[in-house]
Amino acid sequence: MPSLDSTPPAPPATNRRIETLDVLRGVALLGILLVNIEFFTRPIKAVALGFDSSLEGVDHAVALAIHILLQGKFYSLFSMLFGMGFAIMLARAAEQGSGFFARYARRILVLGLIGLLHALYVWSGDILLTYALFGAVMLLFFRRTPARRLPIWAGVFLAVPPALLWLMALALSGPNVPPEMVESMQLQHEGFVASVASADQVLALGSFSEVNVQRRGDLDFMLSSLAFFGISILGYFLIGAWFVRSRLILDSAAHLAWFRRVAVLGIGLGLPLCIAGFWLMQGESPMLPTRGMAGASTLSLLGNLLMCLAYLSGIVLLVHSQRMQAMLQRLAAAGRMALTNYLLQSLVWTWAFYGYGLGLYDQVPRWAMALGAVLFFALQVIFSQRWLSHFRMGPLEWLWRCLTYLQLQPLRGKPNATD
């Protein structure tokens, strides 16, 4: 194990901000909002219950399209971007001969505190605290990992959830399984469904303090699931770091043929896998580990990974298309303020839907929610452009940087190439 004070030899890395990453963040923000908006009107625990089969007509079609095309793909992309950011900061610190460990530790500590406040007082589906926790793992154990080993470790962490599901499913399908164990799991499932229904009522009708009590319970649920499902996020971090260490994302113009192949193969293989995984999951309970559920989860995980890589590759190709430059620059503005925009999405939509706000919970059709998400993101793009015409970074990005560097950072003025 390398010492904490050692820094790896860095590949040549530019000190200029990489606009491709900002565009990717902007697109990921839209994809995440389209997925998350469902869970602004469903308890976060309902994630474990899978697709909402009660929807009908246009609402069902919209929800199904989002489930197949977006769910699981854009949080993966956002996670890869976090890993890319880690690798770029590490390389720049090595180039400049500056310290990295303490500065990055402060960075993820601040991110974790923001995420904790977000989870406890805004929305239970927070991802920032999880990123901070696994960012600490990256800092402690993967700073010097050679580029060729990063995909191997990523595969290990991505394989953990389906492997555990298969072990549980096979154990429970054997001839010597005590009936009491199966009955106990079914009772736990029924209790979980009841807790989701109870949370539904609290979010729809509860006061701010009552919803906060629910959020604290939801946080326990989210943290307890990290060891089982959340560990795949670490795999996506490592894939992102590999994109930087292999120079694919730093020298993307030199690797366009590679990105074209990945875009075609990712959609060609990933989409059928996602459809097959969804089809196999019908009639299965995500809370009860059966062979069918384990198989469906495995197919979905592979499909999500392939489609995420396809989306990433497609966006990189668009970045190098002259026809798309104006639109992509707008998306890049939103991506430069990803933290601010992500938290703003939660603040606005929980206030709109929850009982202590406008109380629109269960009042808006699913198709209208998706349309509202797109329109809201368009407003965020405009807001980001206007803000960055006067300030170097978003307000929360500025606060994050000040606390990371333990000194006030310049805010006024247009962004420069190194912000």
Side-chain angles (χ1 to χ4, degrees):
M1 183 65 61
S3 68
L4 297 182
D5 295 326
S6 61
T7 53
T14 175
N15 283 326
R16 297 178 63 85
R17 190 176 182 95
I18 302 170
E19 188 176 33
T20 300
L21 300 190
D22 289 327
V23 174
L24 287 166
R25 290 188 188 99
V27 175
L29 278 169
L30 174 58
I32 286 171
L33 178 57
L34 282 165
V35 173
N36 283 352
I37 199 163
E38 173 186 353
F39 294 98
F40 292 135
T41 58
R42 290 181 75 190
I44 197 62
K45 286 183 177 180
V47 170
L49 298 179
F51 182 75
D52 184 0
S53 58
S54 67
L55 298 172
E56 299 178 347
V58 176
D59 286 340
H60 182 275
V62 170
L64 181 60
I66 290 174
H67 186 89
I68 297 293
L69 298 175
L70 304 182
Q71 189 160 320
K73 287 77 174 172
F74 284 94
Y75 97 85
S76 305
L77 177 57
F78 223 59
S79 300
M80 288 183 192
L81 287 163
F82 189 95
M84 292 180 200
F86 171 87
I88 289 171
M89 291 182 66
L90 179 60
R92 287 175 177 170
E95 282 184 330
Q96 298 164 4
S98 59
F100 176 78
F101 186 88
R103 184 194 310 162
Y104 196 80
R106 289 194 299 271
R107 180 178 175 84
I108 57 176
L109 176 61
V110 174
L111 184 67
L113 290 173
I114 294 173
L116 182 61
L117 293 173
H118 180 223
L120 290 176
Y121 298 106
V122 182
W123 184 52
S124 304
D126 169 76
I127 196 65
L128 303 178
L129 179 58
T130 301
Y131 280 7
L133 293 173
F134 285 120
V137 177
M138 291 283 288
L139 180 64
L140 290 171
F141 300 109
F142 291 101
R143 292 187 306 129
R144 292 185 62 88
T145 304
R148 67 181 183 278
R149 294 183 186 172
L150 290 173
I152 298 173
W153 278 110
V156 169
F157 292 118
L158 290 172
V160 167
L164 290 176
L165 284 175
W166 274 108
L167 288 173
M168 294 172 64
L170 293 173
L172 290 172
S173 64
N176 300 319
V177 179
E180 297 82 8
M181 180 181 295
V182 177
E183 183 179 354
S184 174
M185 294 190 69
Q186 290 174 338
L187 289 174
Q188 289 178 9
H189 171 71
E190 292 172 4
F192 185 84
V193 172
S195 72
V196 171
S198 174
D200 208 42
Q201 292 298 307
V202 172
L203 299 179
L205 304 172
S207 65
F208 184 71
S209 60
E210 289 170 333
V211 173
N212 284 341
V213 172
Q214 179 64 47
R215 288 180 181 125
R216 285 195 287 273
D218 290 342
L219 180 61
D220 292 339
F221 165 75
M222 296 293 286
L223 291 176
S224 65
S225 68
L226 289 183
F228 194 79
F229 291 107
I231 197 156
S232 60
I233 290 175
L234 184 55
Y236 292 119
F237 281 5
L238 292 168
I239 293 174
W242 174 77
F243 267 100
V244 172
R245 297 288 298 279
S246 65
R247 299 202 58 83
L248 277 169
I249 204 70
L250 299 181
D251 295 333
S252 57
H255 298 93
L256 294 183
W258 185 91
F259 285 110
R260 289 190 191 96
R261 288 193 296 271
V262 172
V264 172
L265 290 174
I267 293 294
L269 297 177
L271 183 57
L273 287 173
C274 287
I275 294 172
F278 176 82
W279 180 77
L280 283 176
M281 186 63 78
Q282 303 313 298
E284 298 285 346
S285 169
M287 295 294 295
L288 298 175
T290 63
R291 293 185 182 187
M293 192 269 282
S297 298
T298 302
L299 292 177
S300 295
L301 186 146
L302 289 172
N304 289 343
L305 173 61
L306 289 169
M307 289 187 69
C308 173
L309 291 172
Y311 291 158
L312 183 153
S313 299
I315 295 164
V316 169
L317 293 172
L318 289 176
V319 167
H320 292 281
S321 169
Q322 294 299 319
R323 297 178 181 178
M324 305 296 294
Q325 289 304 307
M327 182 188 75
L328 294 177
Q329 286 176 0
R330 296 187 181 95
L331 289 171
R336 289 182 78 104
M337 296 173 52
L339 178 62
T340 296
N341 284 321
Y342 170 73
L343 294 174
L344 190 60
Q345 290 173 358
S346 298
L347 282 166
V348 170
W349 288 107
T350 53
W351 176 78
F353 288 124
Y354 286 3
Y356 60 76
L358 295 180
L360 297 177
Y361 201 91
D362 283 337
Q363 304 299 312
V364 182
R366 190 73 176 85
W367 68 265
M369 291 164 57
L371 178 60
V374 173
L375 295 176
F376 181 79
F377 180 72
L379 291 176
Q380 286 193 298
V381 169
I382 295 170
F383 164 71
S384 300
Q385 289 182 292
R386 297 288 176 83
W387 180 274
L388 293 175
S389 67
H390 300 287
F391 301 99
R392 295 166 64 121
M393 62 195 77
L396 285 174
E397 285 75 13
W398 174 80
L399 176 63
W400 191 13
R401 183 171 291 196
C402 289
L403 294 174
T404 296
Y405 288 88
L406 298 180
Q407 63 182 27
L408 286 176
Q409 300 292 307
L411 179 60
R412 286 196 172 275
K414 292 186 178 181
N416 59 43
T418 59
D419 284 331

